[in-house]
Amino acid sequence: RLAQLVDGLSGEAVHPYHYHLLRKQVATRKSLAVGSAIPDVVLPSKQQLGKVCASYAGKYLLLTIGASWCEQCQRVGNHIDSLVAQNPSVAHFNVNIDDDRRLWDAPVVQQLAIDHIPYIIVIGPDGRILSRDPRYWELHKLLPQAQQ
């Protein structure tokens, strides 16, 4: 829907610089759509996201983006850690934007189109995005049930 709105802008309705930023945001979000492969971006820890995801191949990966000062991020992290403890087919990897002094201007934030924290991306065993920004209390609906 956002793409349609941006495409409908013309003339003096929008400054060319802002139009360019909107188009870039739309393109980024399309490339990160559900079903897309997770891009191989450099994380603040200097790790490659693609390598991180590959190390969890065959598992559901809950990628969280947060900050140490964010209380809600801590709550989400604790909830996810309890899900992981109950289900061996699920893993958790946290990207802490505190690790990059640029914080909101950090490349990983821009490349993954993160606009708030905590932010969760659910990645399937095949490395494709299953969900972007689900509510943490609904994660169990996206994941397989643990084998008893």
Side-chain angles (χ1 to χ4, degrees):
R1 184 162 183 236
L2 180 61
Q4 292 171 337
L5 290 172
V6 171
D7 288 340
L9 297 174
S10 63
E12 297 194 19
V14 65
H15 187 278
Y17 175 75
H18 296 115
Y19 178 75
H20 171 71
L21 288 178
L22 284 170
R23 296 287 302 168
K24 186 176 178 183
Q25 183 72 276
V26 167
T28 300
R29 289 191 180 271
K30 278 184 180 179
S31 71
L32 295 169
V34 170
S36 302
I38 193 78
D40 191 21
V41 299
V42 177
L43 301 173
S45 62
K46 306 298 183 232
Q47 294 174 286
Q48 293 287 130
L49 183 55
K51 289 182 181 177
V52 168
C53 291
S55 70
Y56 294 107
K59 289 188 172 197
Y60 289 81
L61 177 62
L62 302 175
L63 177 68
T64 55
I65 295 88
S68 62
W69 47 264
C70 170
E71 289 182 30
Q72 182 66 10
C73 298
Q74 304 308 316
R75 263 193 300 281
V76 167
N78 291 338
H79 179 78
I80 289 174
D81 288 342
S82 70
L83 283 175
V84 169
Q86 297 168 18
N87 194 334
S89 66
V90 178
H92 177 214
F93 188 84
N94 183 58
V95 176
N96 187 339
I97 64 171
D98 288 344
D99 292 342
D100 191 321
R101 293 187 332 231
R102 295 168 287 191
L103 297 174
W104 287 109
D105 293 327
V108 69
V109 171
Q110 303 300 314
Q111 293 167 336
L112 294 177
I114 305 304
D115 56 7
H116 63 275
I117 56 173
Y119 199 96
I120 303 168
I121 301 174
V122 181
I123 303 167
D126 60 356
R128 299 201 171 275
I129 298 170
L130 292 179
S131 181
R132 288 182 52 89
D133 201 27
R135 300 297 172 234
Y136 73 93
W137 58 85
E138 296 178 337
L139 285 172
H140 67 279
K141 297 176 185 175
L142 299 168
L143 303 170
Q145 297 301 310
Q147 300 299 318
Q148 301 297 334

